[in-house]
Amino acid sequence: MPKGFSLHIGLNSIDPQHYGGWDGKLTSCESDAEDMELIAKSLHYENISTLLTAKATIENVVVEIKKAAASLENGDIFFLSYSGHGSNIPDKEKEEDDGQDETWCLYDGQLLDDELYSLWHLFKEDVRIIVLSDSCQSGTVVRAYHYGLNNSSNHNSSTGTTYKFLPPDINHKTFEKNRSFYTEKQIKYKEDYSEELKCSIKLISGCQDNQYSADGDSNGLFTSTLLKVWKNGTFEGNYKLFHKKILELMPPNQSPNYMCIGKSNEKFDNQKPFTI
């Protein structure tokens, strides 16, 4: 029988010591992670880990993903969710069309899309991975490069909405303060990309790479919409339909993305979301 591992990450703040004195306070991200944990529990995942705020460090997240990679076999599933700030840093190798590496803002530093892409190579053949990312600029965060995106901004600061992104001055200050930390990571995790992934990865993101994900009182906008569509597990349909139904309920300035990378897997494509 296939088995399921899941990891749920939610940060309501980040460490000001790393992020230029800014704590990035958010409201709903821990609740987002806990609600994704409840989905995994309802589906009887065997191993469920949740990392909240100060526990959601780069080391802890990478360790948990590596544990999943070591444990999961052909046909198993890894359910990974992230809720928190998303950002980007200058792409040293100039492989990104927009000149940026997309990131997750973990408590003690940013996890690069290059790092995630490198970690996918640790998973065995035909392992299924579903990633949910309720964060800004997250449309292609599971892969190390992307093509053809419009990079205009859709952020409207006049609405009073809190968005899950690093303000440009904080982003610049964070990168400059930790430049060697990030450039060394970029060099370390850049792949030849000729090596094909053996696993199959699906991403449903909170928005496109050029958009921002809104926080909320109890859940982020993307997560709350996803939960409405999920309807406590009564949703019927595959991942593509699941994304379509979420997208239909979202505002035009926050359009969740759906993408697949790695090995083609028709059975995975046609399954109900999160199914073990």
Side-chain angles (χ1 to χ4, degrees), residues 13-24 107 173-174 177-178:
S13 64
I14 48 183
D15 187 355
Q17 292 188 23
H18 183 87
Y19 291 95
W22 189 64
D23 66 3
Y107 189 73
K173 187 184 296 185
T174 299
K177 180 175 180 286
N178 305 282

Side-chain angles (χ1 to χ4, degrees), residues 173-237:
K173 187 184 296 185
T174 299
F175 179 73
E176 291 302 325
K177 180 175 180 286
N178 305 282
R179 178 181 284 270
S180 61
F181 172 73
Y182 287 114
T183 54
E184 287 172 12
K185 276 156 60 93
Q186 286 175 315
I187 292 168
K188 178 180 178 181
Y189 289 106
K190 289 296 180 187
E191 295 285 345
D192 181 9
Y193 302 141
S194 61
E195 181 184 349
E196 293 186 1
L197 293 169
K198 297 177 181 177
C199 60
S200 303
I201 303 146
K202 295 184 181 299
L203 168 70
I204 303 178
S205 67
C207 62
Q208 300 293 320
D209 278 340
N210 62 330
Q211 294 179 329
Y212 298 87
S213 287
D215 196 17
D217 294 332
S218 57
N219 288 113
L221 178 59
F222 167 68
T223 299
S224 65
T225 306
L226 181 151
L227 290 170
K228 287 177 185 175
V229 174
W230 180 244
K231 293 182 182 176
N232 292 316
T234 61
F235 171 82
E236 293 295 335

Side-chain angles (χ1 to χ4, degrees), residues 93-242:
E93 302 299 320
K94 307 299 181 186
E95 291 169 332
E96 303 268 4
D97 277 4
D98 62 357
Q100 304 288 329
D101 280 323
E102 277 62 52
T103 69
W104 283 347
C105 298
L106 299 180
Y107 189 73
D108 58 344
Q110 298 180 66
L111 186 77
L112 312 185
D113 52 10
D114 295 314
E115 291 179 82
L116 281 173
Y117 192 73
S118 177
L119 288 166
W120 305 145
H121 284 82
L122 302 178
F123 285 83
K124 299 179 182 71
E125 188 166 7
D126 290 327
V127 171
R128 296 164 290 143
I129 301 174
I130 172 63
V131 181
L132 303 178
S133 186
D134 193 344
S135 56
C136 291
Q137 301 166 320
S138 56
T140 61
V141 73
V142 295
R143 69 181 300 170
Y145 53 93
H146 62 276
Y147 301 99
L149 291 173
N150 179 345
N151 296 301
S152 60
S153 173
N154 286 297
H155 180 234
N156 182 359
S157 59
S158 66
T159 63
T161 302
T162 299
Y163 290 96
K164 301 179 180 182
F165 81 115
L166 269 62
D169 59 329
I170 298 298
N171 193 18
H172 177 74
K173 187 184 296 185
T174 299
F175 179 73
E176 291 302 325
K177 180 175 180 286
N178 305 282
R179 178 181 284 270
S180 61
F181 172 73
Y182 287 114
T183 54
E184 287 172 12
K185 276 156 60 93
Q186 286 175 315
I187 292 168
K188 178 180 178 181
Y189 289 106
K190 289 296 180 187
E191 295 285 345
D192 181 9
Y193 302 141
S194 61
E195 181 184 349
E196 293 186 1
L197 293 169
K198 297 177 181 177
C199 60
S200 303
I201 303 146
K202 295 184 181 299
L203 168 70
I204 303 178
S205 67
C207 62
Q208 300 293 320
D209 278 340
N210 62 330
Q211 294 179 329
Y212 298 87
S213 287
D215 196 17
D217 294 332
S218 57
N219 288 113
L221 178 59
F222 167 68
T223 299
S224 65
T225 306
L226 181 151
L227 290 170
K228 287 177 185 175
V229 174
W230 180 244
K231 293 182 182 176
N232 292 316
T234 61
F235 171 82
E236 293 295 335
N238 60 18
Y239 285 97
K240 189 172 287 188
L241 181 62
F242 190 54

